[in-house]
Amino acid sequence: MTHLTDLECSMYADHVSNPGISTGSIFDKDSLAALDLHISTCSECSNRIEDLSRERQLISRALAFEDNSIPVPPELKFARPLGFREFALANVVTGLLFWLIQFLWKTLFGELIINGLARLSAIYVPDVYGMFVNATLYFSERGTTMIYTYLGYTLLILIALTLTWLIFAASRHRMIVGAWVVLLFSASLMTPSTAEALERRYSEGTITITSAETIDDTLVVSADTVVIEGAVNGDLFAFARKIIVSGPVKGNLVAFAESVNLTGEVSGMVMTAGSTIVTDESTIGGDFWSGAGNITIGKDTKIAGNATLATETASMAGQVGRDAHLFGESFDIQGSVNEDLVVYAKRINLLGGAHIFGNLSFHTNNKENLELAPTATVDGEIEFLERSDSFQTQSKYLTGKFYLQQLLWIISAFVFGYITLRLFPALRDVTLYGDMEGVKTAGIGLLAMISLPIVAVLVAVTFIGIPVAIIGFISWLLIMYISKIVLASVIGQMIFSDSERQDSLVITLLAGLAIVLVASNIPVIGGVISFVMVIVGSGLIIQLLAEYISDVMASRSET
Amino acid sequence: MATNVVFKILYKDYYVRVFGLCRRLLNSSTLAEDATQEAFMRAYRKFDSYDSEQPFWQWIATIANHHCIDLLRQRSRTNLIFGEEAMEMEAIQSNDKAIESQAISAQNDDELNMAVAGLPDKYRVPLILAYFHEATYEQIGQDLAISPNHVGVLLLRAKQMLRHNLADPETQGSNL
């Protein structure tokens, strides 16, 4: 007679102790019947099965022992501490999203909208036919490149995601994973579009684009001295000590330098900042924005759009196609402004030959500060507006306006918070820790507070991406605003933790908001407290978002 | 809010048991605290999908099992944390029958628990799942990504090692 093997005995004992444990696949009906028959006739195997069954019961009983002295945490901690990896991942996802939106905006809509707006601004009324022609021409010229670029970017994103996934799968060291992810994200941000390729030139000396040279892409140039004599068919971004632009720029010009000298033609808008800015014999197709110590707009300069100058002193002899807004100390105007002139300054001289076709609004406390030459002309009205130089010295706590503002804040925060927390009840489930986890939450909030605007600025490097950057910036402001409300909700729930009122959104939110309001307005330290509350609240929101993303990914991987 | 209240009651009732399961699977109280927390968090989020006809313990224990096994896989250097069936079969010895079988019977609960804690992951985990969680061979096989027969082999090896270690504590942990 062949006795049962050890394995058969063990499995059979499990089967006897708990018939459900080895159903089906271990013993089929026939083999189970054969085993039953053998065991019923073999005392050795029968005894052994009995020993094993008893053994199994002993192990089960021992394992079932519960140590009831283990303390149960008083409440669920639903807010899981966020690790570096999760935070890096959240950043990458946000970045990729921004990147994709920017790309779509840039390739599909950016130029069309800008072209359309430029056309609208030129003729003041929508020219549907003109826009249709522009769009058709645009797609016929660049449609193929756009498609290839889009596919290229999609592929790049897929590769990046795959690499990220592989790194996650391969590495068990969170910091390394996090570092890789951040590196990958940074590298991806640096990758330019093939259709809107970027040409970069850097030098510690002088960089010259000679008149024989043509740059077909957007040019980013940084050097001690930058000289642009050749044509730039895209945008020009120049950062230097001294910048001289005499060649034509088909796109926009952004120049930051100690000294900027512009004599070329710029089809788009010009944005400059520096110590001294001079334009002469220059034609600017769009608006002109400039901030400098001294600005000189030569008499042969033509600005098709608006001119906005913030400077100490300025001399403006050229033509401005639309409005001019001047902020500074002293302005000498000899040229023409086709529409209104608005001035915030201590002094303004309208020299001979100056011609303002619209109104002149001068914000000053003394009408004598306007000098009008006999041959200077203002077709519209001259309006003097009082300029307030005095500041309120009275304590804000002694004014009724302060209390009215606080009342309005708490009402608006309550209404907004109530709706938000009703719509997104998960925001009520966040938990604020009092230990190091709380510090980590604040740290995450601080990082988010810093990183989101940075991402927005990165997106805004190209002008077409500015709307996306604005959306990002608004989101950032929204998080900053909601952060105090979320924190107020948490505080309110903590206050009523031992009461049935803990579940009342109205009571907890109102109580929390009242505490947040009072804490924010404590003299001297109120600002610091307010800042801490904002970063803690932001940290809670970011943690919740990251957790949500993590859950979605986990549930996808499970399915 | 009603869900919150119900879940809080379940949480208080089952925390110790889930913690015990996690501690036995992970062999660490610290890791078990986090794992228990995570298991309840996952359960809370999926609470809408919980079938109240089924025992809550089975549901939460399954969630905890999955999480703990994921953690074990993460901390393991190899995917074959439960060994290869053929090799385990070869390792089965048949010289421990009568005497060593009494080794388990002679121990009290604390000693047995300590001995179980001393088992390697690949033997301890199926033992806990089978004799604590009362999971079937098929369920354990699915959770551990091994065949039901392999589960039976591992359980046998686990008990052999338990007997061996209890009978001769000096050689505890040595390869049988």
Side-chain angles (χ1 to χ4, degrees):
Chain A
M1 174 185 280
T2 305
H3 293 296
L4 269 62
T5 65
D6 288 343
L7 183 58
E8 285 173 327
C9 284
S10 175
M11 288 179 170
Y12 191 86
D14 283 341
H15 169 72
V16 171
S17 304
N18 180 2
I21 200 170
S22 59
T23 52
S25 60
I26 301 300
F27 301 122
D28 58 36
K29 201 174 176 182
D30 293 338
S31 57
L32 190 60
L35 286 173
D36 285 339
L37 182 64
H38 172 82
I39 291 162
S40 65
T41 56
C42 174
S43 59
E44 186 181 338
C45 287
S46 174
N47 290 338
R48 184 146 173 73
I49 298 290
E50 200 174 316
D51 285 344
L52 287 168
S53 298
R54 191 166 52 248
E55 189 181 82
R56 184 193 187 285
Q57 285 168 1
L58 288 170
I59 295 171
S60 291
R61 192 189 66 190
L63 292 175
F65 170 74
E66 301 292 354
D67 184 1
N68 288 317
S69 64
I70 296 167
V72 180
E75 60 181 27
L76 283 171
K77 298 174 181 175
F78 291 120
R80 185 180 53 183
L82 191 67
F84 180 75
R85 186 175 68 173
E86 285 84 355
F87 181 61
L89 188 65
N91 253 338
V92 167
V93 170
T94 311
L96 283 175
L97 198 63
F98 268 75
W99 188 33
L100 191 63
I101 292 169
Q102 183 211 6
F103 169 72
L104 290 173
W105 177 273
K106 188 176 177 180
T107 52
L108 297 181
F109 305 108
E111 292 205 24
L112 284 177
I113 288 175
I114 282 189
N115 283 345
L117 287 175
R119 196 169 182 83
L120 282 173
S121 65
I123 58 177
Y124 294 100
V125 290
D127 184 345
V128 177
Y129 175 75
M131 286 180 72
F132 176 74
V133 171
N134 267 357
T136 309
L137 286 173
Y138 179 81
F139 276 113
S140 65
E141 286 174 5
R142 307 188 63 178
T144 310
T145 314
M146 282 168 53
I147 294 286
Y148 281 131
T149 308
Y150 180 74
L151 290 175
Y153 264 88
T154 308
L155 189 65
L156 195 63
I157 289 169
L158 288 174
I159 290 171
L161 288 174
T162 308
L163 278 174
T164 309
W165 179 79
L166 283 173
I167 292 163
F168 269 110
S171 176
R172 297 176 198 289
H173 302 284
R174 289 187 163 200
M175 287 301 285
I176 294 174
V177 171
W180 264 104
V181 168
V182 170
L183 190 70
L184 201 66
F185 172 53
S186 307
S188 67
L189 269 182
M190 291 296 139
T191 311
S193 156
T194 52
E196 295 288 335
L198 209 62
E199 182 162 343
R200 302 183 184 89
R201 297 195 186 184
Y202 305 106
S203 170
E204 291 184 0
T206 301
I207 290 178
T208 304
I209 308 295
T210 63
S211 55
E213 202 174 348
T214 300
I215 308 292
D216 284 323
D217 307 311
T218 292
L219 175 64
V220 177
V221 58
S222 174
D224 178 71
T225 303
V226 173
V227 180
I228 309 290
E229 295 170 348
V232 178
N233 288 335
D235 296 329
L236 170 60
F237 296 86
F239 308 92
R241 190 179 59 78
K242 185 176 183 182
I243 298 171
I244 300 169
V245 182
S246 56
V249 177
K250 295 287 185 190
N252 303 300
L253 167 64
V254 177
F256 293 92
E258 192 179 319
S259 162
V260 179
N261 192 316
L262 175 64
T263 55
E265 179 183 345
V266 180
S267 302
M269 76 174 200
V270 172
M271 182 182 278
T272 60
S275 177
T276 305
I277 292 164
V278 177
T279 69
D280 196 17
E281 297 181 356
S282 177
T283 303
I284 298 166
D287 292 341
F288 180 73
W289 298 76
S290 187
N294 181 267
I295 300 172
T296 303
I297 298 176
K299 67 174 183 177
D300 294 321
T301 297
K302 292 177 183 174
I303 300 167
N306 302 300
T308 305
L309 311 182
T311 177
E312 197 172 333
T313 59
S315 168
M316 201 170 84
Q319 299 173 21
V320 177
R322 292 198 182 175
D323 296 331
H325 291 83
L326 312 179
F327 304 86
E329 292 279 315
S330 169
F331 292 93
D332 293 330
I333 297 174
Q334 202 172 4
S336 63
V337 177
N338 281 0
E339 293 181 12
D340 296 338
L341 172 63
V342 181
V343 182
Y344 292 79
K346 285 188 177 173
R347 188 182 63 82
I348 178 170
N349 292 334
L350 287 183
L351 304 172
H355 192 170
I356 312 300
F357 289 87
N359 299 323
L360 166 62
S361 300
F362 186 23
H363 293 254
T364 181
N365 293 325
N366 187 354
K367 293 180 182 178
E368 302 290 322
N369 290 336
L370 171 65
E371 289 185 22
L372 197 62
T375 54
T377 314
V378 177
D379 291 350
E381 293 179 356
I382 299 177
E383 186 181 19
F384 292 96
L385 300 165
E386 192 167 342
R387 182 177 173 181
S388 175
D389 291 328
S390 59
F391 296 96
Q392 186 79 308
T393 53
Q394 189 183 11
S395 168
K396 65 177 183 180
Y397 302 107
L398 299 177
T399 62
K401 186 181 172 187
F402 168 77
Y403 293 100
L404 182 64
Q405 282 176 343
Q406 301 309 312
L407 185 66
L408 287 174
W409 181 85
I410 202 165
I411 291 171
S412 60
F414 174 74
V415 172
F416 189 80
Y418 184 84
I419 295 169
T420 306
L421 293 173
R422 278 276 176 225
L423 288 174
F424 306 101
L427 284 169
R428 292 200 75 203
D429 291 334
V430 294
T431 305
L432 179 62
Y433 298 99
D435 53 11
M436 280 306 291
E437 290 302 326
V439 177
K440 194 188 281 185
T441 300
I444 288 167
L446 183 63
L447 278 174
M449 186 187 256
I450 296 167
S451 65
L452 267 173
I454 289 174
V455 171
V457 169
L458 283 173
V459 171
V461 164
T462 56
F463 272 89
I464 297 166
I466 286 175
V468 182
I470 291 170
I471 293 169
F473 189 69
I474 290 170
S475 305
W476 178 72
L477 287 176
L478 199 61
I479 289 177
M480 295 298 115
Y481 180 68
I482 296 175
S483 60
K484 276 189 176 179
I485 295 171
V486 170
L487 188 67
S489 165
V490 172
I491 292 171
Q493 288 182 73
M494 286 164 73
I495 292 170
F496 294 106
S497 61
D498 296 328
S499 160
E500 289 179 357
R501 292 174 179 170
Q502 185 189 11
D503 293 334
S504 168
L505 175 58
V506 174
I507 292 172
T508 53
L509 185 59
L510 267 179
L513 283 173
I515 289 171
V516 166
L517 183 72
V518 171
S520 302
N521 286 293
I522 294 174
V524 184
I525 59 169
V528 177
I529 293 174
S530 183
F531 176 74
V532 170
M533 288 193 293
V534 167
I535 61 172
V536 169
S538 305
L540 290 171
I541 295 169
I542 299 289
Q543 280 181 306
L544 189 71
L545 285 172
E547 201 174 321
Y548 175 74
I549 293 167
S550 171
D551 283 352
V552 169
M553 290 175 71
S555 61
R556 280 186 183 171
S557 65
E558 279 177 16
T559 55
Chain B
M1 288 304 155
T3 303
N4 259 342
V5 174
V6 171
F7 197 82
K8 280 180 182 175
I9 293 169
L10 290 169
Y11 169 75
K12 283 178 183 167
D13 287 351
Y14 285 91
Y15 180 88
V16 173
R17 210 167 165 195
V18 175
F19 175 79
L21 174 63
C22 293
R23 184 167 56 82
R24 287 181 172 97
L25 286 172
L26 297 171
N27 237 0
S28 159
S29 294
T30 311
L31 289 176
E33 276 181 27
D34 289 343
T36 308
Q37 193 68 54
E38 180 67 25
F40 274 102
M41 279 200 298
R42 290 184 181 188
Y44 179 79
R45 288 189 211 108
K46 296 177 181 173
F47 199 51
D48 290 342
S49 64
Y50 167 60
D51 178 7
S52 57
E53 299 288 317
Q54 303 299 319
F56 182 75
W57 163 245
Q58 289 298 328
W59 188 66
I60 186 77
T62 303
I63 293 172
N65 284 344
H66 288 166
H67 179 58
C68 290
I69 291 165
D70 285 345
L71 290 176
L72 289 170
R73 286 190 199 286
Q74 280 173 22
R75 79 180 182 193
S76 169
R77 293 282 170 193
T78 169
N79 284 332
L80 290 170
I81 60 173
F82 298 103
E84 291 184 41
E85 187 176 343
M87 289 179 66
E88 295 296 336
M89 282 290 286
E90 284 176 17
I92 292 175
Q93 296 185 356
S94 57
N95 59 353
D96 63 339
K97 289 176 184 168
I99 298 171
E100 288 188 3
S101 188
Q102 293 167 4
I104 290 178
S105 309
Q107 310 302 319
N108 62 32
D109 289 350
D110 284 343
E111 288 165 337
L112 260 178
N113 271 315
M114 283 178 65
V116 169
L119 292 174
D121 288 350
K122 65 176 176 179
Y123 300 135
R124 190 185 68 256
V125 173
L127 191 79
I128 303 295
L129 295 178
Y131 295 167
F132 181 69
H133 180 41
E134 301 285 340
T136 66
Y137 280 27
E138 285 77 10
Q139 286 170 341
I140 299 169
Q142 282 175 5
D143 289 348
L144 307 185
I146 57 178
S147 70
N149 198 61
H150 193 172
V151 174
V153 174
L154 290 176
L155 286 174
L156 173 59
R157 292 280 292 134
K159 287 184 281 189
Q160 283 182 338
M161 190 171 274
L162 263 184
R163 294 181 204 120
H164 175 82
N165 292 345
L166 288 167
D168 186 7
E170 295 297 316
T171 59
Q172 186 166 349
S174 66
N175 198 13
L176 282 171

